[in-house]
Amino acid sequence: MLRSTLLNSPAMNKRFVTHVRFVESEDAQLVVDLRSNPHLNQYISKTDVDVKAQRQWIFKYKEREMSGDEFYFVICHDEQDLGVVWMYDFNDGSFCLGSWIFRPSRPSGLVTFSAVMIYEMGFDALGFNQSHFDVRLENKRVIDFHLRSGAEPTKRDDVDQFFVFPKSKWPRFKENCVTQIHAHRIAKS
């Protein structure tokens, strides 16, 4: 996958109040703060809470980003870094969406709009045919969100519900998110 292709996506356009940008080593503290917060990390894999170790992980990740193997984003709104999301496990026309986490204080609709941005990059910019992901069974709110968005359950185990979100569902999801798009895709003044 070409990193440069993503730079042309509206999701990465820094002229908009809400956009994403590639994570940088300077974001290590943000990642640690989000992923070590017990109110936010209940349903995601554990990570090292050492900022220096996180910085090293990001440094190594940047090589995978440059080769187009995966993309880790910071979700920005009004000059504030409010969350992170990861696109990885690119195979057979599918990408995995994961490590999606936000600060508790965020604008209304930002979570939904961030899904719009991720699907916009995955389907429109990179040409994937579907997204695949898993959600912890206890994370009922996120499971409900994905079901409402059009994601299709594929299997489950003792820990996770697995989903795919086919590209064919993307236009309808985008249409249903018009309010969030209008609220967040506004040019900076």
Side-chain angles (χ1 to χ4, degrees), residues 12-26:
M12 294 199 76
N13 189 331
K14 293 179 181 175
R15 292 180 305 188
F16 292 128
V17 171
T18 305
H19 61 276
V20 297
R21 63 176 176 76
F22 293 114
V23 74
E24 301 295 340
S25 59
E26 297 80 24

Side-chain angles (χ1 to χ4, degrees), residues 9-179:
S9 171
M12 294 199 76
N13 189 331
K14 293 179 181 175
R15 292 180 305 188
F16 292 128
V17 171
T18 305
H19 61 276
V20 297
R21 63 176 176 76
F22 293 114
V23 74
E24 301 295 340
S25 59
E26 297 80 24
D27 296 313
Q29 185 67 58
L30 169 69
V31 174
V32 167
D33 289 349
L34 289 169
R35 294 183 62 94
S36 65
N37 183 321
H39 299 291
L40 304 177
N41 71 5
Q42 301 171 35
Y43 306 116
I44 60 174
S45 59
K46 302 301 178 215
T47 191
D48 197 325
V49 295
D50 176 24
V51 175
K52 186 176 178 181
Q54 185 64 51
R55 192 171 289 119
Q56 279 300 108
W57 186 93
I58 293 171
F59 182 76
K60 290 177 184 170
Y61 148 78
K62 294 302 277 185
E63 294 174 12
R64 298 187 303 275
E65 174 191 301
M66 290 306 207
S67 65
D69 295 331
E70 60 189 66
F71 302 110
Y72 198 22
F73 302 100
V74 174
I75 301 162
C76 309
H77 177 80
D78 203 19
E79 306 297 328
Q80 295 181 18
D81 300 332
L82 297 180
V84 294
V85 65
W86 191 20
M87 291 176 70
Y88 63 104
D89 190 26
F90 303 160
N91 62 60
D92 297 327
S94 186
F95 70 94
C96 189
L97 162 65
S99 299
W100 198 14
I101 188 169
F102 293 88
R103 292 187 191 273
S105 57
R106 60 183 179 262
S108 176
L110 182 64
V111 173
T112 301
F113 185 67
S114 71
V116 168
M117 292 189 293
I118 294 304
Y119 290 142
E120 190 171 63
M121 290 186 293
F123 297 136
D124 298 345
L126 297 175
F128 284 107
N129 296 318
Q130 75 175 15
S131 174
H132 61 278
F133 49 91
D134 56 272
V135 180
R136 298 288 186 261
L137 292 172
E138 298 88 25
N139 199 350
K140 304 285 188 213
R141 287 180 50 212
V142 172
I143 288 174
D144 290 346
F145 169 82
H146 287 300
L147 289 171
R148 284 190 317 273
S149 74
E152 301 170 356
T154 57
K155 65 179 181 175
R156 75 188 271 172
D157 60 22
D158 293 340
V159 178
D160 294 314
Q161 174 68 59
F162 295 83
F163 291 93
V164 295
F165 185 86
K167 185 176 185 175
S168 61
K169 303 275 182 110
W170 165 228
R172 176 113 172 124
F173 177 66
K174 191 173 181 179
E175 181 181 300
N176 290 341
C177 296
V178 70
T179 301

